[in-house]
């Protein structure tokens, strides 16, 4: 009787863990899909597309357009979403040409998954990882920026977000992170 009861209790605990893991996996999927849609929306922003095209095609006034993009990203994107740590734009050589973190400008990210695995008309979500400098779990989500008229690829926008419980609860409801 003891071994039978022990087996039933273990099986019930295992079943509950499987259900909790499935629920959490679905919630993470919903969260990441929402962030991917958000990044695609950013890549379709007319102002970002126009300025990125100017930077990519011309050597003149790049500082003017870079400053305009940075201010726009801070005022109209980052300020509206506390999960966003950084937004940056990469050229097709893998060089960061604009970033809300000025230390990243000029960095070569050509070996990063969010650059290498990106597909046209799709967003890529990297695996969440711990950033020891920020002491946060983060992920990068990227999408190709297309020019408005020619629909040619002119850059890549990368949305670096933190995966914080408090912000996620506000955005996705109390059921997102249950204790």
């Amino acid at each position: 009787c003891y071994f039978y009861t022990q087996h039933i209790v273990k099986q019930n605990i295992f079943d509950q863990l499987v259900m909790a893991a499935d629920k959490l996996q679905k919630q993470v999927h919903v969260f990441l899909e929402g962030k991917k849609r958000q990044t695609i929306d950013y890549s379709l922003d007319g102002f970002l597309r126009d300025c990125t095209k100017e930077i990519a095609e011309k050597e003149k006034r790049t500082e003017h357009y870079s400053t305009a993009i940075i201010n726009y990203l801070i005022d109209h994107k980052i300020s509206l979403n506390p999960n966003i740590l950084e937004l940056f734009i990469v050229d097709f050589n893998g060089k960061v040409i604009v970033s809300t973190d000025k230390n990243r400008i000029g960095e070569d990210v050509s070996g990063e998954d969010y650059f290498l695995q990106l597909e046209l008309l799709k967003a890529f979500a990297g695996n969440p990882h711990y950033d020891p400098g920020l002491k946060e779990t983060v992920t990068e989500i990227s999408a190709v920026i297309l020019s408005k008229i020619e629909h040619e690829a002119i850059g890549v926008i990368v949305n670096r977000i933190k995966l914080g419980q408090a912000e996620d609860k506000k955005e996705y409801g109390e059921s997102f992170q249950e204790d």
Side-chain angles (χ1 to χ4, degrees), residues 29 37 40 56 83 101 117 120 144 166 173 176:
H29 177 75
R37 279 192 301 278
I40 289 172
N83 283 353
D101 176 0
Q117 296 187 28
L120 202 59
V144 173
F176 184 76

Side-chain angles (χ1 to χ4, degrees), residues 133-150:
L134 296 170
K135 297 181 180 170
E136 296 274 357
T137 302
V138 301
T139 191
E140 292 82 16
I141 302 171
S142 58
V144 173
I145 302 171
L146 300 175
S147 62
K148 284 198 301 192
I149 298 172
E150 301 87 7

Side-chain angles (χ1 to χ4, degrees), residues 87-148:
L87 286 165
F88 55 97
I89 297 174
V90 181
D91 68 14
F92 284 106
N93 295 318
K95 180 182 169 190
V96 176
I97 56 174
V98 174
S99 176
T100 55
D101 176 0
K102 293 184 192 243
N103 294 326
R104 189 178 293 273
I105 296 173
E107 183 179 333
D108 180 5
V109 296
S110 60
E112 299 291 340
D113 284 345
Y114 57 79
F115 183 78
L116 293 172
Q117 296 187 28
L118 191 58
E119 296 178 40
L120 202 59
L121 305 176
K122 288 187 178 180
F124 171 80
N127 290 324
H129 58 278
Y130 182 76
D131 185 314
L134 296 170
K135 297 181 180 170
E136 296 274 357
T137 302
V138 301
T139 191
E140 292 82 16
I141 302 171
S142 58
V144 173
I145 302 171
L146 300 175
S147 62
K148 284 198 301 192

